[in-house]
Amino acid sequence: MTTALPPLHRSEVDGVPVLWREAPGPLTAGLVLGVGRRDETFTGGGTTHLLEHLVMHEARLPRLECNASVGIASTELTVTGRPDRVVDFLARACRLLADPPVERRAVEARVLAAEEREEGPDLVGALLVERFGYRGPGLVGAVEPALGALSAEAVRAWSARWAVRGAAACWLTGPPPEGLSLPLPAGRRPGAEDGLPEQVALPGWTQLPGPVLAVSGLVPVGPAAGVALHVLRDRLEEELRHRRGLTYGVDSSLDRLSARDRHALLATQVREGAETEAFGVLREVLAALAAEGPTDAELAGEVESAEETLTDQRTTSDELSALAEAAVLGWPAEATEELLASVRDLTGEDVREAARHLERSALVAVPEGVDLEVPGLPRLADGSGEVVEGRVHRPRLLRGVPRGARLVVGGSGASLDLGGGQVTTVRWDEVVGLVEAGDADADFTHQLVSARGLSIPLQARDWRGGDEALRAVLAAVPARLHVRGDPEGASQRADRERA
C-alpha cells in the first residue's frame, strides 16, 4: 500500500538547516538546539533550562501560542500562529539566545523551583540515576543544586557555546514564510560524547518512593522497540487490570538517549499489598515476549496502528521535530516514508529481539518497603559497601547520629558508616559536587556528591574532630566543584530529606 504524503523539503536560512512539510492547521515552527540535560555538569545543573526560561519570557508575544522544553539531548522552542508572527518570534528568540537577558536570573530560578515543586519527582529521571548515576542521561534525574547562584557570565558562556548556527535546526509545517531569519551567532556544535556512560550491573531491582511498580531497559532505536513496548503494555493491562483487578492501567514511554539507544519504560500504580503478585505478572509477560515474540495478530495490529499514526498529518510536527533533533546531533533518523517501509518489514523476530534487550537490561523499581526475592534478579546496592582507610571520627553525644556510626576521611575519599552494613563511600576521583547548604537551619553544612549517585551529608559538630574532617574534605575537592545551594531549591529540600 502506498501512502501519498506532502513532500519533505530541506533548505537553509542564515546557515541554519530548515526542514518543512505541509500539514493542516496554522503554521507551527520549532527551533531545536543540540544541547540537553546530559550535556551539563552536576554543579551546573539547570543552566539550559534557565537559559530557555530567560529567552521565552522576552520572546513570547501576546495571543501567540508558544512553548519550550529541555530534554535529555536537545532543547526546543515552538510557536504556532500567523506566519508573520511566527517569523517575529523566531527572530526574537535567536537574538535573545545570542544575548540572553541575564538580569532576570534570580526570578526565573525561583520560577523553576516552583515548577519542580508542582511537577514532582520524575520516574524516568529517577531510573536513569539508578542506572547511570549522575553522568550523561542520569543527570536528568539529578537535582539542580545551585541554580540561583549561576552568574551572568556562566549563563552567557553557556549560550555562546551551544546557541550557535552549527548547533541548531528549524522545522515548519509549511513553506518558510517571507522574511524568515534565524540570526544565531556563527559557530559549530561542541564535540559532545554521544555514547552512554557505564551502567550498574543489570538486570536488578531497587526501591523508589511512591506506589509505582516499573521496569525500564535499553532497547535499540527503531520501530521494533515501540511495537514490543505496545504489546507488553496491552498484555499487562489485560492481566493486571481486567483479569486480576490489581491496577487501573499501564503507562509506557520511549526516550532516545544516543544514536543507537532508547530508554524504554513500563509503569503502573499497584494496589497496596499486591506489588509482589503484580511483579510476578510483569516478569512472566516480559519473559514470554522475549522467548516467543508477538502473535501474528498482535504484530498485524501494531503495524496497522503504526501506519495510521504515521500517515496522520496531525503528527507531522512530531516527525519534523525528531528529524531536526537528529540533524543537529548527527543521529540517523527516518522520515515518515522510510519509517512506514521499516514498519511494514517488521517480523516477529525483530520484536522478540527488542524484548530480549529490555529483559537483559531490566531495572525493576518497587515501592519502598517491598522486597523481591527472585533468583537472577539481585537488588542494587544502596551504598558502596567499602570503607576507605583514613582518620576515623566518632559521633558526638546527643547529636542524633546512631551509636557506633563513624565518618572516615582519607587519601582516597570519605565514608559514612552507620552500622548494619549501611556504608556510603564517595571517592575523590568520583566527586561531582560539594554543595554548601544555603539554608542556615539545615541539618548539614555540606553535601558530598558522587558521580555514582551517592552522597554524604556533612555537619562538623556531629563528629568528634568534625572541623578537621570538614577541612580535609574541602581541601580534597577541587574548588570548581564547590557550590552554594539554593535555600528553596530542589536540591536543598531533597538533601534535607536524605540527611
Side-chain angles (χ1 to χ4, degrees), residues 369-460:
V370 176
D371 290 318
L372 299 178
E373 295 184 6
V374 180
L377 190 72
R379 180 172 181 174
L380 300 189
D382 290 333
S384 61
E386 298 179 357
V387 179
V388 300
E389 294 184 1
R391 172 74 184 275
V392 178
H393 301 270
R394 298 292 180 181
R396 293 184 183 274
L397 297 176
L398 306 178
R399 290 298 305 160
V401 180
R403 291 186 62 182
R406 54 182 178 150
L407 173 66
V408 184
V409 181
S412 63
S415 297
L416 177 62
D417 182 2
L418 297 177
Q422 299 181 70
V423 176
T424 300
T425 291
V426 175
R427 300 190 179 275
W428 303 133
D429 59 359
E430 295 180 337
V431 173
V432 293
L434 181 61
V435 185
E436 182 182 356
D439 185 348
D441 296 326
D443 294 327
F444 57 90
T445 60
H446 293 79
Q447 196 85 3
L448 182 64
V449 185
S450 164
R452 297 168 62 192
L454 305 172
S455 63
I456 297 177
L458 299 170
Q459 177 68 278

Side-chain angles (χ1 to χ4, degrees), residues 40-52:
E40 298 175 345
T41 62
F42 176 81
T43 53
T47 307
T48 311
H49 203 176
L50 179 60
L51 174 62
E52 173 254 296

Side-chain angles (χ1 to χ4, degrees), residues 36-43 45-46 71-73 122-145 193-200 218 255-258 263 363 432 449-454 498:
R37 187 64 175 94
R38 68 169 191 171
D39 300 301
E40 298 175 345
T41 62
F42 176 81
T43 53
I72 296 172
D122 172 36
L123 180 59
V124 171
L127 290 170
L128 288 173
V129 171
E130 293 286 338
R131 184 177 295 271
F132 297 114
Y134 291 147
R135 294 169 290 206
L139 286 166
V140 173
V143 296
E144 299 168 350
E193 179 61 46
D194 189 54
L196 297 179
E198 181 183 358
Q199 303 178 63
V200 295
L218 298 186
D255 294 290
R256 194 162 183 176
L257 304 184
S258 71
H263 181 257
L363 173 56
V432 293
V449 185
S450 164
R452 297 168 62 192
L454 305 172
R498 282 195 293 268

Side-chain angles (χ1 to χ4, degrees), residues 88-109:
D88 191 9
F89 172 85
L90 290 173
R92 287 166 58 86
C94 289
R95 286 193 292 267
L96 288 162
L97 284 166
D99 184 17
V102 293
E103 64 278 358
R104 282 191 57 83
R105 296 189 323 282
V107 174
E108 292 302 332

Side-chain angles (χ1 to χ4, degrees), residues 39-387:
D39 300 301
E40 298 175 345
T41 62
F42 176 81
T43 53
T47 307
T48 311
H49 203 176
L50 179 60
L51 174 62
E52 173 254 296
H53 266 237
L54 294 172
V55 169
M56 289 298 290
H57 178 269
E58 296 295 327
R60 63 186 180 181
L61 297 168
R63 298 175 299 283
L64 184 65
E65 182 183 341
C66 52
N67 206 345
S69 61
V70 176
I72 296 172
S74 65
T75 298
E76 185 174 43
L77 283 64
T78 59
V79 58
T80 300
R82 290 197 330 249
D84 60 321
R85 293 170 66 78
V86 168
V87 167
D88 191 9
F89 172 85
L90 290 173
R92 287 166 58 86
C94 289
R95 286 193 292 267
L96 288 162
L97 284 166
D99 184 17
V102 293
E103 64 278 358
R104 282 191 57 83
R105 296 189 323 282
V107 174
E108 292 302 332
R110 291 195 292 270
V111 171
L112 288 171
E115 180 180 323
E116 189 276 337
R117 286 194 297 271
E118 184 174 329
E119 293 180 353
D122 172 36
L123 180 59
V124 171
L127 290 170
L128 288 173
V129 171
E130 293 286 338
R131 184 177 295 271
F132 297 114
Y134 291 147
R135 294 169 290 206
L139 286 166
V140 173
V143 296
E144 299 168 350
L147 200 55
L150 281 174
S151 66
E153 292 73 19
V155 176
R156 289 194 182 102
W158 191 253
S159 182
R161 183 181 182 193
W162 294 100
V164 294
R165 295 173 201 164
C170 180
W171 58 265
L172 303 110
T173 58
E178 182 180 354
L180 177 64
S181 65
L182 301 168
L184 289 171
R188 301 179 61 182
R189 181 174 179 268
E193 179 61 46
D194 189 54
L196 297 179
E198 181 183 358
Q199 303 178 63
V200 295
L202 292 169
W205 69 277
T206 189
Q207 294 178 339
L208 292 178
V212 173
L213 171 68
V215 60
S216 71
L218 298 186
V219 293
V221 169
V227 171
L229 205 60
H230 290 165
V231 172
L232 288 169
R233 184 185 62 198
D234 291 346
R235 290 185 181 184
L236 285 171
E237 281 200 347
E238 176 64 25
E239 188 65 32
L240 293 176
R241 175 178 176 172
H242 299 295
R243 293 186 181 177
R244 305 195 186 208
L246 301 182
T247 186
Y248 179 75
V250 179
D251 293 323
S252 64
S253 68
L254 266 176
D255 294 290
R256 194 162 183 176
L257 304 184
S258 71
R260 298 178 300 275
D261 303 285
R262 284 171 131 183
H263 181 257
L265 170 67
L266 290 159
T268 184
Q269 291 194 19
V270 180
R271 178 166 48 84
E272 187 176 358
E275 296 91 352
T276 302
E277 180 184 356
F279 166 72
V281 172
L282 188 156
R283 195 177 192 212
E284 290 174 6
V285 167
L286 177 55
L289 188 63
E292 303 165 10
T295 65
D296 291 342
E298 285 174 326
L299 181 58
E302 288 297 327
V303 170
E304 181 180 359
S305 175
E307 288 179 334
E308 291 177 358
T309 300
L310 290 171
T311 56
D312 187 342
Q313 291 189 51
R314 290 173 297 183
T315 64
T316 298
S317 294
D318 296 332
E319 175 211 18
L320 293 172
S321 175
L323 290 174
E325 180 187 53
V328 168
L329 299 174
W331 288 350
E334 295 180 314
T336 295
E337 297 87 346
E338 298 162 315
L339 276 174
L340 281 168
S342 297
V343 167
R344 290 164 182 159
D345 288 341
L346 273 181
T347 66
E349 178 59 28
D350 296 329
V351 178
R352 178 169 66 169
E353 184 60 27
R356 287 173 179 166
H357 277 275
L358 176 56
E359 186 179 44
R360 287 194 293 264
S361 60
L363 173 56
V364 176
V366 298
E368 288 179 336
V370 176
D371 290 318
L372 299 178
E373 295 184 6
V374 180
L377 190 72
R379 180 172 181 174
L380 300 189
D382 290 333
S384 61
E386 298 179 357
V387 179

